[in-house]
């Protein structure tokens, strides 16, 4: 079964930790453009959109020939922005790729675009193993606990699973590629505010769990490097040079 899907890349200029983040230059190319370039290696360009409320981001995308959907400035999360895009597009499933993933592995997006045809009515998210102790204990990294059948048990910025000794035994982290059926986005957007654990953890996928949706986790590569803080910019630029991107 082939599902009609769209890929949405939410991009917000007013990032608290790194203002103007989507337009930060990485090797001379704006980060949002690099993320889009990785996406169109896996999916047809006509299916891929940047979603923003900022004219500077819109104008940059126009300069690079990238499709843009304008959304309101009231969106609390990237998923709220995707939900607004769902009102503008004729698609059954919406794949969300974070705009701060300039080193996205296109194969990971291929995994997701294939999975939406197998699980068209489920919320999907990516994850991978952690092999770095510092990353396991970093509050910037959402850690994932997965059931044996692949469904999400919980996600946290705390180091989970933990033990009494406080050691790193094993861990998994979120890869910021998601897929949402239209009904799930409606439920997400209808919530009057962030749900309790979503607000505490600042992890929006938790809203789906708290609203009663199951989230199926898909194992992906460890190649992504999210740019959340100023110190991540140098790390991303180094990886871009080393990978010849």
């Amino acid at each position: 079964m082939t599902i009609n899907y769209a890929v949405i890349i939410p991009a917000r200029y007013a990032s608290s930790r790194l203002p103007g983040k989507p337009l930060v230059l990485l090797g001379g190319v704006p980060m949002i453009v690099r993320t889009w370039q990785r996406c169109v290696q896996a999916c047809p360009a006509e299916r891929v959109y940047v979603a923003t409320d900022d004219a500077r981001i819109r104008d940059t995308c126009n300069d690079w020939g990238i499709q843009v959907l304008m959304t309101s400035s009231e969106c609390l999360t990237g998923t709220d922005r995707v939900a607004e895009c769902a009102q503008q597009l004729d698609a059954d499933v919406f794949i969300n790729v974070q705009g701060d993933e300039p080193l996205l592995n296109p194969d990971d997006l291929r995994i997701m675009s294939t999975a939406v045809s197998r699980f068209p009515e489920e919320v999907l998210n990516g994850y991978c193993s952690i092999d770095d102790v510092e990353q396991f204990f970093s509050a910037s990294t959402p850690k994932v606990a997965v059931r044996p059948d692949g469904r999400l048990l919980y996600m946290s910025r705390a180091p989970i699973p933990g033990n009494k000794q406080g050691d790193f035994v094993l861990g998994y982290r979120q890869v910021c590629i998601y897929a949402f059926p239209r009904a799930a986005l409606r439920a997400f957007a209808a919530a009057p505010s962030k749900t309790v654990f979503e607000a505490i953890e600042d992890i929006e996928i938790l809203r789906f769990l708290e609203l009663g949706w199951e989230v199926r986790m898909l194992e992906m590569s460890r190649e992504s490097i999210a740019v959340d803080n100023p110190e991540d910019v140098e790390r991303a630029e180094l990886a871009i040079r080393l990978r010849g991107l």
Side-chain angles (χ1 to χ4, degrees):
M1 180 172 61
T2 301
I3 292 295
N4 181 19
Y5 69 87
V7 177
I8 310 296
I9 309 172
R12 183 169 66 96
Y13 191 88
S15 169
S16 58
R17 286 172 289 192
L18 184 57
K21 180 165 66 170
L23 300 184
V24 168
L25 296 179
L26 299 172
V29 178
M31 179 161 58
I32 189 65
V33 175
R34 284 196 175 274
T35 302
W36 176 85
Q37 288 173 334
R38 305 299 285 169
C39 288
V40 297
Q41 290 186 38
C43 299
E46 61 268 22
R47 290 184 181 267
V48 183
Y49 302 82
V50 168
T52 188
D53 61 352
D54 191 274
R56 290 162 291 191
I57 296 173
R58 178 200 62 200
D59 293 345
T60 297
C61 289
N62 286 339
D63 290 343
W64 286 82
I66 298 170
Q67 298 183 108
V68 181
L69 295 172
M70 296 303 293
T71 56
S72 76
S73 58
E74 305 301 315
C75 295
L76 296 177
T77 69
T79 307
D80 288 304
R81 209 171 294 284
V82 175
E84 284 197 8
C85 292
Q87 300 174 22
Q88 304 180 48
L89 296 174
D90 178 22
D92 300 311
V93 176
F94 298 85
I95 299 176
N96 177 353
V97 175
Q98 299 294 79
D100 58 4
E101 291 281 345
L103 288 146
L104 167 81
N105 183 344
D107 286 339
D108 291 338
L109 184 50
R110 292 186 187 99
I111 289 171
M112 183 64 75
S113 62
T114 299
V116 297
S117 294
R118 296 175 56 210
F119 310 107
E121 298 179 359
E122 298 186 31
V123 177
L124 309 176
N125 193 190
Y127 79 106
C128 67
S129 61
I130 293 175
D131 57 5
D132 182 293
V133 175
E134 183 179 349
Q135 192 173 61
F136 180 71
F137 287 103
S138 170
S140 296
T141 303
K143 269 71 69 176
V144 175
V146 183
R147 294 172 179 169
D149 65 1
R151 290 178 296 163
L152 177 64
L153 182 61
Y154 191 65
M155 194 177 296
S156 178
R157 294 187 183 276
I160 60 171
N163 61 20
K164 291 181 179 179
Q165 294 75 35
D167 298 328
F168 169 48
V169 179
L170 64 85
Y172 302 95
R173 67 175 175 87
Q174 183 187 44
V175 175
C176 291
I177 305 176
Y178 318 83
F180 310 115
R182 187 178 288 275
L185 284 174
R186 280 199 298 265
F188 185 96
S193 63
K194 291 187 176 184
T195 49
V196 174
F197 294 113
E198 175 197 9
I200 293 171
E201 297 273 12
D202 191 23
I203 299 174
E204 58 210 70
I205 201 74
L206 291 175
R207 189 185 307 186
F208 293 100
L209 283 187
E210 293 180 81
L211 293 176
W213 286 82
E214 297 287 0
V215 178
R216 185 176 298 276
M217 303 302 294
L218 305 173
E219 190 165 6
M220 295 182 174
S221 74
R222 297 196 301 269
E223 292 183 19
S224 67
I225 298 177
V227 181
D228 292 315
N229 304 294
E231 54 267 28
D232 295 330
V233 173
E234 183 177 349
R235 193 160 60 102
E237 286 200 303
L238 176 61
I240 286 169
R241 290 195 300 271
L242 291 175
R243 299 180 194 180
L245 303 177

